[in-house]
């Protein structure tokens, strides 16, 4: 395979996309820029990323959530790199946890609407997986010019504190470290955590800063006296530990985590991990350089699963979806994947790659139910253009079979993980466990695209609508004008279906190098194993 010209072209295209992604990540890692980083260092503070690097175990795997959050957004406000907050799943003293760190180099760590969404996603991951969560607080609070989009609604700023309370009642460990500003409503976050610490001279907690206190009640007081480490550790008793500096603070968190007891496990099966027998690096050359070409999804699966062993379910039935059992880094998994090559159905009819047919949906539904019965986590490999349309499909009950698959997937009690390889279009996105269906993690390769339909089809539909509207107004539409309309609409559609557009808005958790697929799935299942399954599997009413 690795010697074919087509493979080499595919590999070159994928590696260029991965290289472009890494260049974007390098820029993200700079936060608010070199000058802002130096300003933090001058205060004796580490940056958010330096704090996380110090806190987490060295050389242990980690997954960053939402690195591209906010990309291209809020341009009129100067942007919000990575949403102004960094979220990483990693290990402290070999215990898996999730760390949330405000980035003070980005608008002083102020909260934009997307910042709240990212913080809520971090808490959601913690809640679903009963994963300890560490907050490294350094924020100026709500970004006031956009306060109406962040303050009052259900999924806004206040939901953070509601979650703090709920998580505490669920026994999920929360540790907060105030390493900079912690003001107004944000002051409740560390104090609603199980343990709170504050750094001397740089950390402050108060409902209103010294300027506002002066304006409100006429009292003259400096911020350190008002809400610094001495005040809250020796007078108010608000915080539990007074830390000398950032390093002392982070070491205290590591010491606490070192003594945390074990947890009840979900009991997902794991054996000794094995690498795939087939060369993992060949995964770069399998996905075609253009979206309209075929490939065999089994070639990718065999480079993800341990020892390249995959027990395919109903191999010759409903072949536009591949289902089967395997292991990833030792963990038992059930894989549901779109087949992208043209295959023959049981009736001898041709089925197009990436399309979900009735028999495939029926097969996938049954397989999903079986995995729930066996307590096996589910992995969805998405490269789907949607469900088959037309009179034959409608008369064959495609809606009923599609609903059956969605029902079985939506009601799953085992954890679900979604990897978007290429297309993620229309109802196919839903059936293959898109973001709306609560995958524990949903990540994408740089080749991914999320949309209601493909750009070419969508642009043609939109052009027809616009041309019709213009003609209704009496305008004459020449072929040149129509082409100009098409080009403009297609360019805008392609921009909004870019995987970076989705990543900026947290429709996905991360864009990953394909070679990291095994790591992401393995760490996701390890996290899910923290949370015992308490709910019985019940799909409700299904039209059979």
């Amino acid at each position: 395979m690795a010697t074919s010209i087509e493979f080499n072209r595919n590999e070159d295209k994928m590696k260029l996309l991965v290289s472009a992604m890494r260049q974007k990540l390098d820029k993200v890692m700079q936060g608010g820029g070199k000058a802002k980083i130096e300003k933090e260092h001058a205060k004796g503070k580490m940056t958010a990323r330096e704090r996380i690097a110090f806190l987490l175990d060295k050389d242990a795997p980690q997954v960053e959530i939402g690195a591209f959050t906010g990309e291209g957004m809020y341009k009129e406000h100067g942007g919000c790199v990575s949403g102004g907050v960094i979220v990483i799943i990693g290990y402290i003293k070999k215990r898996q946890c999730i760390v949330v760190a405000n980035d003070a180099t980005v608008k002083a760590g102020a909260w934009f609407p997307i910042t709240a969404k990212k913080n809520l996603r971090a808490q959601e991951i913690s809640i679903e997986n009963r994963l300890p969560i560490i907050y490294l607080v350094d924020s100026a609070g709500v970004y006031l010019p956009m306060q109406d989009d962040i303050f009052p609604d259900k999924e806004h700023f206040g939901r953070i504190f509601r979650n703090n309370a709920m998580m505490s009642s669920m026994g999920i460990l929360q540790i907060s470290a105030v390493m900079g500003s912690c003001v107004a409503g944000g002051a409740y976050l560390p104090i609603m955590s199980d343990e709170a610490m504050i750094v001397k001279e740089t950390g402050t907690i108060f409902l209103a800063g010294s300027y506002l206190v002066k304006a409100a009640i006429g009292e003259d007081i400096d911020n350190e006296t008002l809400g610094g480490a001495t005040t809250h550790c020796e007078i108010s008793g608000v915080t539990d530990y007074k830390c000398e500096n950032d390093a002392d603070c982070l070491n205290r968190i590591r010491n606490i985590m070192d003594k945390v007891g074990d947890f009840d496990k979900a009991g997902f099966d794991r054996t000794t991990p094995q690498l795939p027998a087939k060369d993992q690096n060949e995964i770069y050359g399998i996905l075609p350089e253009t979206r309209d070409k075929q490939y065999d999804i089994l070639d990718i699966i065999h480079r993800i699963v341990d020892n390249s062993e995959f027990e395919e379910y109903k191999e010759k039935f409903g072949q536009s979806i591949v289902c089967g059992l395997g292991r990833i880094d030792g963990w038992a998994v059930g894989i549901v994947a779109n087949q992208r090559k043209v295959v023959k159905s049981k009736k001898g009819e041709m089925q197009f790659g990436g399309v979900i047919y009735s028999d495939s949906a029926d097969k996938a539904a049954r397989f999903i139910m079986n995995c729930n019965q066996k307590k096996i986590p589910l992995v969805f490999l998405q490269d789907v253009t949607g469900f088959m349309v037309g009179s034959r499909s409608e008369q064959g009950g495609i809606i009923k079979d599609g609903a059956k698959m969605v029902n079985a997937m939506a009601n799953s009690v085992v954890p679900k993980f979604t990897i978007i390889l290429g297309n993620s279009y229309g109802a196919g996105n839903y059936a293959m466990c898109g973001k709306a269906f609560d995958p524990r993690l949903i990540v994408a390769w740089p080749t991914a695209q999320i949309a209601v339909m493909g750009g070419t089809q969508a642009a043609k539909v939109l052009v027809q609508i616009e041309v019709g509207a213009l003609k209704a107004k009496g305008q004459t539409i020449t072929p040149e004008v129509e082409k100009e309309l098409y080009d403009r609409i297609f360019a805008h559609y392609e921009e909004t279906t870019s995987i970076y557009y989705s990543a900026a808005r947290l429709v996905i958790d991360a864009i990953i190098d394909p070679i990291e697929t095994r790591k992401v799935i393995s760490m996701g299942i390890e996290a899910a194993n923290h949370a015992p399954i308490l709910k019985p599997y019940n799909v409700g009413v299904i039209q059979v």
Side-chain angles (χ1 to χ4, degrees):
M1 176 183 288
T3 58
S4 74
I5 294 174
E6 184 177 3
F7 177 93
N8 291 337
R9 281 202 302 262
N10 296 343
E11 183 180 43
D12 288 345
K13 176 70 178 293
M14 179 65 84
K15 286 188 173 179
L16 282 171
L17 290 172
V18 170
S19 176
M21 178 194 73
R22 295 202 178 281
Q23 289 176 31
K24 286 177 177 285
L25 275 175
D26 287 343
K27 188 175 180 181
V28 165
M29 297 295 171
Q30 297 303 309
K34 185 177 179 181
K36 296 287 181 64
I37 291 172
E38 290 175 350
K39 189 175 179 181
E40 293 299 297
H41 289 166
K43 297 176 184 176
K45 297 164 64 177
M46 299 179 186
T47 65
R49 290 193 178 276
E50 289 168 344
R51 287 166 177 166
I52 292 175
F54 189 101
L55 181 62
L56 294 179
D57 293 348
K58 306 297 182 288
D59 301 320
Q62 56 182 244
V63 174
E64 180 164 358
I65 302 298
F68 294 111
T69 301
E71 180 169 301
M73 299 171 67
Y74 312 122
K75 292 178 181 177
E76 66 277 22
H77 298 282
C80 187
V81 179
S82 216
V85 63
I86 298 157
V87 176
I88 292 181
I89 301 172
Y91 299 84
I92 300 175
K93 295 290 185 176
K94 299 182 180 180
R95 288 167 170 80
Q96 197 177 39
C97 59
I98 186 164
V99 181
V100 181
N102 300 115
D103 188 348
T105 70
V106 179
K107 297 289 185 181
W111 288 58
F112 284 67
I114 199 66
T115 315
K117 186 175 183 180
K118 188 169 177 180
N119 275 269
L120 288 169
R121 177 60 180 145
Q123 288 185 322
E124 182 180 40
I125 291 170
S126 174
I127 291 168
E128 287 180 329
N129 300 291
R130 303 295 192 270
L131 208 58
I133 187 167
I134 317 297
Y135 307 101
L136 306 182
V137 184
D138 193 347
S139 172
V142 167
Y143 183 64
L144 290 178
M146 301 188 74
Q147 63 86 27
D148 56 319
D149 289 324
I150 186 175
F151 170 66
D153 209 346
K154 181 178 178 180
E155 300 302 328
H156 285 177
F157 192 58
R159 189 76 171 182
I160 304 289
F161 315 123
R162 175 264 187 194
N163 286 350
N164 286 143
M166 299 295 292
M167 291 161 74
S168 183
S169 72
M170 296 165 67
I172 298 171
L173 175 62
Q174 300 176 85
I175 300 174
S176 285
V178 180
M179 310 181 80
S181 298
C182 182
V183 301
Y188 287 103
L189 184 146
I191 314 312
M192 295 188 73
S193 299
D194 301 309
E195 295 190 79
M197 54 196 71
I198 186 170
V199 178
K200 186 174 71 175
E201 295 178 357
T202 58
T204 53
I205 309 172
F206 35 64
L207 296 180
S210 57
Y211 293 120
L212 188 54
V213 167
K214 174 68 173 177
I217 63 173
E219 181 182 5
D220 282 310
I221 191 169
D222 64 89
N223 283 337
E224 181 65 23
T225 305
L226 181 65
T230 299
T231 295
H232 287 309
C233 288
E234 300 179 22
I235 301 173
S236 73
V238 164
T239 49
D240 306 312
Y241 303 94
K242 182 179 180 181
C243 307
E244 290 297 314
N245 50 40
D246 281 6
D248 180 37
C249 182
L250 297 167
N251 277 324
R252 285 173 184 263
I253 296 173
R254 288 182 58 80
N255 290 338
I256 292 170
M257 288 296 295
D258 188 43
K259 299 166 182 67
V260 173
D262 204 356
F263 49 86
D264 295 333
K265 295 180 176 64
F268 302 126
D269 186 66
R270 192 181 197 187
T271 59
T272 303
Q274 298 181 59
L275 293 174
K278 296 191 175 181
D279 187 356
Q280 290 184 81
N281 290 308
E282 289 183 346
I283 205 167
Y284 290 115
I286 296 170
L287 212 66
E289 58 178 331
T290 60
R291 295 181 182 278
D292 57 343
K293 290 185 178 180
Q294 302 173 39
Y295 66 94
D296 190 343
I297 189 63
L298 288 169
D299 288 337
I300 288 177
I301 291 172
H302 288 149
R303 286 160 180 80
I304 293 176
V305 295
D306 289 14
N307 206 32
S308 299
E309 294 175 351
F310 182 64
E311 189 73 26
E312 191 168 352
Y313 175 78
K314 290 184 183 285
E315 180 181 353
K316 299 299 181 181
F317 179 79
Q319 294 178 76
S320 73
I321 288 183
V322 171
C323 300
L325 300 175
R327 291 187 182 275
I328 294 178
D329 200 34
W331 294 104
V333 295
I335 295 175
V336 181
N338 301 112
Q339 178 57 280
R340 283 308 309 266
K341 69 177 184 179
V342 175
V343 295
K344 278 189 178 181
S345 74
K346 61 183 182 294
K347 298 177 182 178
E349 299 161 348
M350 302 307 292
Q351 294 190 349
F352 298 102
V355 179
I356 301 175
Y357 291 78
S358 285
D359 53 0
S360 301
D362 180 79
K363 176 176 82 173
R366 186 168 181 83
F367 178 74
I368 289 167
M369 288 187 279
N370 282 342
C371 285
N372 275 272
Q373 189 85 339
K374 299 184 184 83
K375 201 157 77 170
I376 299 174
L378 287 161
V379 174
F380 292 83
L381 301 180
Q382 277 198 21
D383 193 351
V384 58
T385 53
F387 284 84
M388 190 60 188
V389 297
S391 60
R392 179 174 293 181
S393 292
E394 298 295 356
Q395 291 168 13
I398 185 68
I399 296 175
K400 175 188 68 178
D401 291 320
K404 187 190 304 183
M405 179 180 174
V406 170
N407 196 325
M409 178 273 300
N411 282 296
S412 287
V413 295
V414 295
K416 300 170 293 199
F417 302 90
T418 302
I419 316 294
I420 305 175
L421 314 181
N423 303 321
S424 180
Y425 293 164
N429 169 281
Y430 298 161
M432 292 295 293
C433 195
K435 183 67 178 290
F437 291 86
D438 297 324
R440 295 293 178 96
L441 290 174
I442 177 169
V443 301
W445 290 5
T447 42
Q449 190 177 74
I450 301 175
V452 172
M453 63 180 73
T456 301
Q457 301 96 310
K460 287 178 179 178
V461 172
L462 292 168
V463 165
Q464 289 173 9
I465 293 170
E466 192 158 342
V467 166
L470 292 171
K471 284 181 177 179
K473 294 177 181 178
Q475 295 186 31
T476 301
I477 306 299
T478 65
E480 291 76 18
V481 170
E482 189 166 338
K483 183 180 184 305
E484 185 181 328
L485 282 173
Y486 175 84
D487 290 343
R488 175 172 56 80
I489 290 171
F490 181 80
H492 174 71
Y493 195 86
E494 286 290 288
E495 178 188 349
T496 58
T497 58
S498 161
I499 199 59
Y500 290 98
Y501 189 92
S502 295
R505 289 153 182 80
L506 271 177
V507 175
I508 59 170
D509 292 317
I511 303 173
I512 66 167
D513 185 331
I515 207 72
E516 295 181 330
T517 302
R518 279 171 52 87
K519 179 189 78 172
V520 170
I521 294 170
S522 176
M523 286 187 65
I525 298 175
E526 182 183 351
N529 204 36
H530 285 75
I533 298 173
L534 304 176
K535 178 184 174 183
Y537 183 56
N538 185 349
V539 296
V541 177
I542 289 184
Q543 297 288 341
V544 296

